[in-house]
Amino acid sequence: ALLPYVPRVPPTTLLGKVTATTFALEMPCCVFDQDTDASDVVWLVVAFANASDAFRNPRSRADVPLYEQLPTAHSYMTLETVVTAYSCSAPSTAVLRVGGDTACGGQGGQDPCNGPLPSPGPYRVKFLVMGCHGPKAETRWSDPILLRRATSPTTIDPAPTRRGSDVVVITCILASLGAALAVAVLGAVGYGGCL
């Protein structure tokens, strides 16, 4: 079944909502309450935007594309969660963090992983409900999500910026006061040691 829900990044201001390797999604509460059983699981499918149309839902958990396959398959599945975690009655956190597990990649590719995204994308995501006999329902694909680009070290200007004469004068005065204070403290310690 195709559900009308469209995953999206929260519109509100949120710390770290989109970074160079992660992004946040709204929690899909009350989306999967119909046509699902308590034993069903919900997966998040993450794909490069230009590869989302080519993605085919896996027939079973054994066919789930893994995080390590993203560079070649251009998609993977993550955040496997029991369907009841997204029910209307379930207490929920505000967002889902995609790409938040920095320990991914060292497990030999045997388990689903929510590892950092390797490039700015853009990415598209959808939620997929899977039961014992394969896929049961899915949401629509999100709009493209573009991550922030990390600042390249080559863009940093190695030359110090020019400071105004006022800043230089204030810096000199503070340095002189600091030196005078250091001399006074050392003198007091030296004087106290002679008694």
Side-chain angles (χ1 to χ4, degrees):
L2 181 61
L3 306 173
Y5 181 79
V6 177
R8 68 178 186 157
V9 173
T12 56
T13 301
L14 178 69
L15 185 64
K17 180 166 67 174
V18 177
T19 72
T21 59
T22 68
F23 61 90
L25 285 176
E26 286 183 338
M27 186 70 77
C29 294
C30 304
V31 173
F32 313 110
D33 283 358
Q34 297 180 359
D35 302 320
T36 57
D37 301 320
S39 61
D40 294 340
V41 293
V42 177
W43 289 85
L44 178 70
V45 180
V46 181
F48 285 109
N50 60 356
S52 58
D53 290 338
F55 179 83
R56 297 293 168 255
N57 293 335
R59 294 176 183 238
S60 69
R61 191 182 193 283
D63 300 323
V64 166
L66 301 175
Y67 167 72
E68 287 80 5
Q69 297 171 336
L70 180 61
T72 55
H74 307 297
S75 60
Y76 71 102
M77 290 170 59
T78 187
L79 300 177
E80 179 185 16
T81 309
V82 293
V83 73
T84 53
Y86 299 124
S87 68
C88 293
S89 59
S92 66
T93 56
V95 296
L96 295 173
R97 172 70 52 189
V98 181
D101 186 357
T102 57
C104 282
Q107 301 139 331
Q110 299 303 312
D111 295 316
C113 197
N114 184 27
L117 297 164
S119 73
Y123 298 93
R124 294 178 77 196
V125 298
K126 72 175 180 178
F127 290 96
L128 176 64
V129 180
M130 290 185 67
C132 299
H133 303 291
K136 294 178 74 172
E138 63 185 306
T139 66
R140 298 182 183 279
W141 285 102
S142 70
D143 291 332
I145 300 168
L146 184 65
L147 302 187
R148 292 187 178 167
R149 293 186 181 274
T151 304
S152 170
T154 58
T155 62
I156 299 172
D157 185 4
T161 57
R162 295 192 177 270
R163 299 207 189 320
S165 59
D166 293 343
V167 173
V168 172
V169 170
I170 291 172
T171 303
C172 290
I173 291 172
L174 290 175
S176 299
L177 288 174
L181 182 61
V183 168
V185 168
L186 289 175
V189 169
Y191 178 76
C194 294
L195 293 177

